[in-house]
Amino acid sequence: AQSVTQLDSQVPVFEEAPVELRCNYSSSVSVYLFWYVQYPNQGLQLLLKYLSGSTLVKSINGFEAEFNKSQTSFHLRKPSVHISDTAEYFCAVRMILTGGGNKLTFGTGTQLKVEL
Amino acid sequence: EAGVTQSPTHLIKTRGQQVTLRCSPISGHTSVYWYQQALGLGLQFLLWYDEGEERNRGNFPPRFSGRQFPNYSSELNVNALELEDSALYLCASSSDRRTENFGDGTRLSIL
């Protein structure tokens, strides 16, 4: 079984300030890791993912996350946030199993609110 | 490339009724997943279909069911609707069983 913990339910931050959204997971096997973003009244958009290779992954809009196997973490960071980054962010894991396709397990989400 | 499309976008039903939600995956994607996002309960896995077969099922009662068609589109059926079934139902598709792309969901309200 696997589980995901997002300790911060809400993170307020001023525009142009840096932000970190924390994600820790537990799993009995290796995992794939994901961050999804959800804007109001919309579905989930994939922000970035770690499948293999470099432990630092980046999105096209300035977010990055680093897979830390020893600390079982996948924290999301952005050096300078914009008003448009206001949304709910979900961390998710998928166990790596033969045949693939195992379900995504989500954290409870972190509401990022960027203020002027 | 068209993304995952879901219909309808909104639905209002009463207790005891039945509902069918529809999902069209991204072209070339053979796997379809269904998730429920209910207030206070977060995102919960419902069902996974691949190549027309049900491959995995979440911890939901049997009145939640579905199917996948030869063109890989999918339906989610919920019978005997209860108030707690009010939620956003999200469909996702995948071509590699690793990464999922989500639709905008169907918001189901039970009165």
Side-chain angles (χ1 to χ4, degrees), chain A residues 49-80:
Chain A
K49 61 186 178 183
Y50 172 78
L51 302 180
S52 65
S54 173
T55 56
L56 181 65
V57 291
K58 300 183 179 185
S59 72
I60 57 174
N61 58 352
F63 284 94
E64 64 180 37
E66 186 156 22
F67 168 48
N68 187 318
K69 189 173 183 180
S70 62
Q71 297 186 5
T72 60
S73 67
F74 192 54
H75 301 328
L76 182 69
R77 301 182 181 95
K78 189 171 186 180
S80 177

mmCIF file of all heavy atoms in Angstrom, chain A residues 49-80:
data_model
loop_
_atom_site.group_PDB
_atom_site.id
_atom_site.type_symbol
_atom_site.label_atom_id
_atom_site.label_comp_id
_atom_site.label_asym_id
_atom_site.label_seq_id
_atom_site.Cartn_x
_atom_site.Cartn_y
_atom_site.Cartn_z
ATOM 1 N N LYS A 49 6.426 15.477 -13.308
ATOM 2 C CA LYS A 49 6.461 14.079 -12.898
ATOM 3 C C LYS A 49 7.888 13.591 -12.792
ATOM 4 O O LYS A 49 8.786 14.069 -13.477
ATOM 5 C CB LYS A 49 5.706 13.211 -13.913
ATOM 6 C CG LYS A 49 6.301 13.252 -15.323
ATOM 7 C CD LYS A 49 5.438 12.493 -16.318
ATOM 8 C CE LYS A 49 6.011 12.592 -17.725
ATOM 9 N NZ LYS A 49 5.142 11.915 -18.734
ATOM 10 N N TYR A 50 8.075 12.614 -11.905
ATOM 11 C CA TYR A 50 9.327 11.898 -11.816
ATOM 12 C C TYR A 50 9.039 10.431 -12.120
ATOM 13 O O TYR A 50 8.276 9.786 -11.401
ATOM 14 C CB TYR A 50 9.981 12.018 -10.436
ATOM 15 C CG TYR A 50 11.173 11.101 -10.306
ATOM 16 C CD1 TYR A 50 12.386 11.438 -10.881
ATOM 17 C CD2 TYR A 50 11.066 9.869 -9.665
ATOM 18 C CE1 TYR A 50 13.469 10.579 -10.813
ATOM 19 C CE2 TYR A 50 12.136 9.004 -9.584
ATOM 20 C CZ TYR A 50 13.333 9.357 -10.166
ATOM 21 O OH TYR A 50 14.406 8.487 -10.109
ATOM 22 N N LEU A 51 9.657 9.943 -13.194
ATOM 23 C CA LEU A 51 9.518 8.528 -13.539
ATOM 24 C C LEU A 51 10.837 7.792 -13.343
ATOM 25 O O LEU A 51 10.873 6.654 -12.855
ATOM 26 C CB LEU A 51 9.039 8.370 -14.989
ATOM 27 C CG LEU A 51 7.708 9.054 -15.341
ATOM 28 C CD1 LEU A 51 7.352 8.812 -16.798
ATOM 29 C CD2 LEU A 51 6.594 8.569 -14.429
ATOM 30 N N SER A 52 11.929 8.432 -13.751
ATOM 31 C CA SER A 52 13.263 7.849 -13.595
ATOM 32 C C SER A 52 14.273 8.929 -13.982
ATOM 33 O O SER A 52 13.906 10.018 -14.418
ATOM 34 C CB SER A 52 13.441 6.615 -14.478
ATOM 35 O OG SER A 52 13.374 6.973 -15.844
ATOM 36 N N GLY A 53 15.557 8.623 -13.803
ATOM 37 C CA GLY A 53 16.610 9.535 -14.237
ATOM 38 C C GLY A 53 16.877 10.630 -13.228
ATOM 39 O O GLY A 53 16.860 10.396 -12.018
ATOM 40 N N SER A 54 17.100 11.845 -13.716
ATOM 41 C CA SER A 54 17.434 12.971 -12.854
ATOM 42 C C SER A 54 16.366 13.181 -11.788
ATOM 43 O O SER A 54 15.164 13.189 -12.090
ATOM 44 C CB SER A 54 17.576 14.242 -13.679
ATOM 45 O OG SER A 54 17.738 15.367 -12.833
ATOM 46 N N THR A 55 16.813 13.359 -10.578
ATOM 47 C CA THR A 55 15.848 13.507 -9.474
ATOM 48 C C THR A 55 15.236 14.900 -9.421
ATOM 49 O O THR A 55 14.264 15.119 -8.707
ATOM 50 C CB THR A 55 16.521 13.197 -8.127
ATOM 51 O OG1 THR A 55 17.656 14.054 -7.974
ATOM 52 C CG2 THR A 55 16.961 11.744 -8.059
ATOM 53 N N LEU A 56 15.783 15.847 -10.170
ATOM 54 C CA LEU A 56 15.233 17.198 -10.231
ATOM 55 C C LEU A 56 14.444 17.327 -11.534
ATOM 56 O O LEU A 56 14.992 17.170 -12.619
ATOM 57 C CB LEU A 56 16.340 18.246 -10.175
ATOM 58 C CG LEU A 56 15.884 19.702 -10.209
ATOM 59 C CD1 LEU A 56 15.070 20.037 -8.953
ATOM 60 C CD2 LEU A 56 17.077 20.638 -10.349
ATOM 61 N N VAL A 57 13.152 17.601 -11.407
ATOM 62 C CA VAL A 57 12.306 17.747 -12.591
ATOM 63 C C VAL A 57 11.701 19.138 -12.600
ATOM 64 O O VAL A 57 11.439 19.722 -11.544
ATOM 65 C CB VAL A 57 11.196 16.670 -12.632
ATOM 66 C CG1 VAL A 57 11.810 15.302 -12.890
ATOM 67 C CG2 VAL A 57 10.393 16.649 -11.345
ATOM 68 N N LYS A 58 11.490 19.665 -13.807
ATOM 69 C CA LYS A 58 11.028 21.045 -13.935
ATOM 70 C C LYS A 58 9.836 21.134 -14.871
ATOM 71 O O LYS A 58 9.711 20.357 -15.821
ATOM 72 C CB LYS A 58 12.165 21.937 -14.448
ATOM 73 C CG LYS A 58 13.384 21.960 -13.534
ATOM 74 C CD LYS A 58 14.459 22.914 -14.044
ATOM 75 C CE LYS A 58 15.649 22.931 -13.097
ATOM 76 N NZ LYS A 58 16.680 23.928 -13.488
ATOM 77 N N SER A 59 8.977 22.130 -14.594
ATOM 78 C CA SER A 59 7.842 22.372 -15.469
ATOM 79 C C SER A 59 8.150 23.581 -16.355
ATOM 80 O O SER A 59 9.113 24.311 -16.120
ATOM 81 C CB SER A 59 6.590 22.642 -14.647
ATOM 82 O OG SER A 59 6.659 23.915 -14.041
ATOM 83 N N ILE A 60 7.294 23.802 -17.342
ATOM 84 C CA ILE A 60 7.542 24.884 -18.276
ATOM 85 C C ILE A 60 7.230 26.249 -17.660
ATOM 86 O O ILE A 60 7.646 27.268 -18.173
ATOM 87 C CB ILE A 60 6.725 24.715 -19.574
ATOM 88 C CG1 ILE A 60 5.230 24.631 -19.252
ATOM 89 C CG2 ILE A 60 7.183 23.478 -20.330
ATOM 90 C CD1 ILE A 60 4.361 24.617 -20.489
ATOM 91 N N ASN A 61 6.491 26.279 -16.556
ATOM 92 C CA ASN A 61 6.119 27.563 -15.954
ATOM 93 C C ASN A 61 6.877 27.844 -14.664
ATOM 94 O O ASN A 61 6.391 28.576 -13.796
ATOM 95 C CB ASN A 61 4.613 27.634 -15.712
ATOM 96 C CG ASN A 61 4.115 26.503 -14.823
ATOM 97 O OD1 ASN A 61 4.846 25.581 -14.501
ATOM 98 N ND2 ASN A 61 2.853 26.587 -14.426
ATOM 99 N N GLY A 62 8.086 27.275 -14.526
ATOM 100 C CA GLY A 62 8.963 27.683 -13.441
ATOM 101 C C GLY A 62 8.929 26.853 -12.183
ATOM 102 O O GLY A 62 9.706 27.093 -11.257
ATOM 103 N N PHE A 63 8.032 25.894 -12.082
ATOM 104 C CA PHE A 63 8.022 25.016 -10.921
ATOM 105 C C PHE A 63 9.082 23.923 -11.069
ATOM 106 O O PHE A 63 9.428 23.535 -12.179
ATOM 107 C CB PHE A 63 6.652 24.352 -10.743
ATOM 108 C CG PHE A 63 5.595 25.255 -10.167
ATOM 109 C CD1 PHE A 63 4.735 25.965 -10.995
ATOM 110 C CD2 PHE A 63 5.463 25.387 -8.794
ATOM 111 C CE1 PHE A 63 3.757 26.792 -10.456
ATOM 112 C CE2 PHE A 63 4.485 26.208 -8.247
ATOM 113 C CZ PHE A 63 3.632 26.911 -9.081
ATOM 114 N N GLU A 64 9.569 23.442 -9.944
ATOM 115 C CA GLU A 64 10.465 22.306 -9.943
ATOM 116 C C GLU A 64 10.223 21.467 -8.703
ATOM 117 O O GLU A 64 9.694 21.952 -7.695
ATOM 118 C CB GLU A 64 11.935 22.734 -10.002
ATOM 119 C CG GLU A 64 12.407 23.518 -8.803
ATOM 120 C CD GLU A 64 13.878 23.905 -8.937
ATOM 121 O OE1 GLU A 64 14.327 24.221 -10.045
ATOM 122 O OE2 GLU A 64 14.567 23.886 -7.900
ATOM 123 N N ALA A 65 10.579 20.180 -8.801
ATOM 124 C CA ALA A 65 10.441 19.282 -7.659
ATOM 125 C C ALA A 65 11.618 18.332 -7.664
ATOM 126 O O ALA A 65 12.138 17.970 -8.731
ATOM 127 C CB ALA A 65 9.132 18.502 -7.731
ATOM 128 N N GLU A 66 12.036 17.944 -6.478
ATOM 129 C CA GLU A 66 13.167 17.035 -6.364
ATOM 130 C C GLU A 66 12.774 15.784 -5.605
ATOM 131 O O GLU A 66 12.229 15.853 -4.498
ATOM 132 C CB GLU A 66 14.343 17.708 -5.662
ATOM 133 C CG GLU A 66 15.602 16.847 -5.657
ATOM 134 C CD GLU A 66 16.871 17.647 -5.505
ATOM 135 O OE1 GLU A 66 16.794 18.786 -5.004
ATOM 136 O OE2 GLU A 66 17.936 17.141 -5.899
ATOM 137 N N PHE A 67 13.025 14.650 -6.213
ATOM 138 C CA PHE A 67 12.755 13.361 -5.600
ATOM 139 C C PHE A 67 13.891 13.038 -4.640
ATOM 140 O O PHE A 67 15.064 12.990 -5.029
ATOM 141 C CB PHE A 67 12.645 12.288 -6.684
ATOM 142 C CG PHE A 67 12.646 10.870 -6.156
ATOM 143 C CD1 PHE A 67 11.825 10.507 -5.104
ATOM 144 C CD2 PHE A 67 13.455 9.898 -6.739
ATOM 145 C CE1 PHE A 67 11.812 9.202 -4.625
ATOM 146 C CE2 PHE A 67 13.446 8.592 -6.272
ATOM 147 C CZ PHE A 67 12.624 8.250 -5.213
ATOM 148 N N ASN A 68 13.553 12.862 -3.364
ATOM 149 C CA ASN A 68 14.536 12.507 -2.354
ATOM 150 C C ASN A 68 14.139 11.145 -1.793
ATOM 151 O O ASN A 68 13.213 11.044 -0.985
ATOM 152 C CB ASN A 68 14.580 13.558 -1.247
ATOM 153 C CG ASN A 68 15.712 13.312 -0.270
ATOM 154 O OD1 ASN A 68 15.974 12.170 0.123
ATOM 155 N ND2 ASN A 68 16.387 14.380 0.142
ATOM 156 N N LYS A 69 14.832 10.116 -2.256
ATOM 157 C CA LYS A 69 14.435 8.748 -1.887
ATOM 158 C C LYS A 69 14.649 8.480 -0.402
ATOM 159 O O LYS A 69 13.814 7.831 0.249
ATOM 160 C CB LYS A 69 15.220 7.730 -2.714
ATOM 161 C CG LYS A 69 14.726 6.309 -2.568
ATOM 162 C CD LYS A 69 15.429 5.377 -3.533
ATOM 163 C CE LYS A 69 14.875 3.957 -3.415
ATOM 164 N NZ LYS A 69 15.560 3.035 -4.368
ATOM 165 N N SER A 70 15.727 8.996 0.152
ATOM 166 C CA SER A 70 16.025 8.702 1.564
ATOM 167 C C SER A 70 15.011 9.356 2.491
ATOM 168 O O SER A 70 14.677 8.802 3.551
ATOM 169 C CB SER A 70 17.437 9.175 1.911
ATOM 170 O OG SER A 70 17.548 10.572 1.747
ATOM 171 N N GLN A 71 14.514 10.525 2.087
ATOM 172 C CA GLN A 71 13.515 11.208 2.905
ATOM 173 C C GLN A 71 12.096 10.969 2.408
ATOM 174 O O GLN A 71 11.151 11.527 2.965
ATOM 175 C CB GLN A 71 13.808 12.716 2.929
ATOM 176 C CG GLN A 71 15.146 13.048 3.575
ATOM 177 C CD GLN A 71 15.361 14.550 3.720
ATOM 178 O OE1 GLN A 71 14.470 15.339 3.427
ATOM 179 N NE2 GLN A 71 16.541 14.939 4.164
ATOM 180 N N THR A 72 11.963 10.150 1.403
ATOM 181 C CA THR A 72 10.659 9.856 0.764
ATOM 182 C C THR A 72 9.851 11.135 0.580
ATOM 183 O O THR A 72 8.699 11.248 1.022
ATOM 184 C CB THR A 72 9.850 8.809 1.552
ATOM 185 O OG1 THR A 72 9.598 9.285 2.886
ATOM 186 C CG2 THR A 72 10.593 7.499 1.619
ATOM 187 N N SER A 73 10.481 12.099 -0.100
ATOM 188 C CA SER A 73 9.816 13.377 -0.316
ATOM 189 C C SER A 73 9.867 13.778 -1.783
ATOM 190 O O SER A 73 10.710 13.299 -2.551
ATOM 191 C CB SER A 73 10.471 14.470 0.534
ATOM 192 O OG SER A 73 11.784 14.725 0.087
ATOM 193 N N PHE A 74 8.967 14.663 -2.138
ATOM 194 C CA PHE A 74 8.880 15.190 -3.512
ATOM 195 C C PHE A 74 8.302 16.593 -3.406
ATOM 196 O O PHE A 74 7.216 16.881 -3.874
ATOM 197 C CB PHE A 74 8.021 14.280 -4.385
ATOM 198 C CG PHE A 74 8.094 14.546 -5.862
ATOM 199 C CD1 PHE A 74 9.304 14.571 -6.541
ATOM 200 C CD2 PHE A 74 6.928 14.743 -6.601
ATOM 201 C CE1 PHE A 74 9.361 14.799 -7.908
ATOM 202 C CE2 PHE A 74 6.975 14.975 -7.976
ATOM 203 C CZ PHE A 74 8.194 15.001 -8.630
ATOM 204 N N HIS A 75 9.063 17.499 -2.785
ATOM 205 C CA HIS A 75 8.578 18.847 -2.529
ATOM 206 C C HIS A 75 8.567 19.677 -3.811
ATOM 207 O O HIS A 75 9.465 19.580 -4.649
ATOM 208 C CB HIS A 75 9.456 19.547 -1.483
ATOM 209 C CG HIS A 75 9.506 18.826 -0.171
ATOM 210 N ND1 HIS A 75 8.440 18.096 0.324
ATOM 211 C CD2 HIS A 75 10.505 18.733 0.754
ATOM 212 C CE1 HIS A 75 8.766 17.573 1.490
ATOM 213 N NE2 HIS A 75 10.015 17.942 1.774
ATOM 214 N N LEU A 76 7.572 20.529 -3.928
ATOM 215 C CA LEU A 76 7.401 21.399 -5.095
ATOM 216 C C LEU A 76 7.868 22.804 -4.734
ATOM 217 O O LEU A 76 7.498 23.333 -3.684
ATOM 218 C CB LEU A 76 5.928 21.427 -5.504
ATOM 219 C CG LEU A 76 5.553 22.249 -6.728
ATOM 220 C CD1 LEU A 76 6.109 21.621 -7.998
ATOM 221 C CD2 LEU A 76 4.030 22.391 -6.829
ATOM 222 N N ARG A 77 8.657 23.412 -5.616
ATOM 223 C CA ARG A 77 9.188 24.749 -5.337
ATOM 224 C C ARG A 77 9.031 25.652 -6.557
ATOM 225 O O ARG A 77 8.996 25.187 -7.690
ATOM 226 C CB ARG A 77 10.677 24.669 -4.975
ATOM 227 C CG ARG A 77 10.994 23.809 -3.782
ATOM 228 C CD ARG A 77 12.486 23.829 -3.477
ATOM 229 N NE ARG A 77 12.793 22.976 -2.339
ATOM 230 C CZ ARG A 77 13.199 21.715 -2.439
ATOM 231 N NH1 ARG A 77 13.332 21.155 -3.633
ATOM 232 N NH2 ARG A 77 13.446 20.998 -1.357
ATOM 233 N N LYS A 78 8.929 26.949 -6.257
ATOM 234 C CA LYS A 78 8.989 27.951 -7.306
ATOM 235 C C LYS A 78 9.680 29.162 -6.719
ATOM 236 O O LYS A 78 9.316 29.628 -5.641
ATOM 237 C CB LYS A 78 7.601 28.320 -7.824
ATOM 238 C CG LYS A 78 7.649 29.208 -9.066
ATOM 239 C CD LYS A 78 6.290 29.388 -9.708
ATOM 240 C CE LYS A 78 6.425 30.148 -11.021
ATOM 241 N NZ LYS A 78 5.130 30.373 -11.718
ATOM 242 N N PRO A 79 10.707 29.702 -7.399
ATOM 243 C CA PRO A 79 11.482 30.801 -6.812
ATOM 244 C C PRO A 79 10.730 32.125 -6.760
ATOM 245 O O PRO A 79 11.036 32.980 -5.918
ATOM 246 C CB PRO A 79 12.709 30.900 -7.731
ATOM 247 C CG PRO A 79 12.314 30.230 -8.993
ATOM 248 C CD PRO A 79 11.297 29.207 -8.653
ATOM 249 N N SER A 80 9.731 32.305 -7.622
ATOM 250 C CA SER A 80 8.999 33.563 -7.662
ATOM 251 C C SER A 80 7.593 33.288 -8.192
ATOM 252 O O SER A 80 7.426 32.972 -9.367
ATOM 253 C CB SER A 80 9.728 34.569 -8.559
ATOM 254 O OG SER A 80 8.987 35.775 -8.672
#
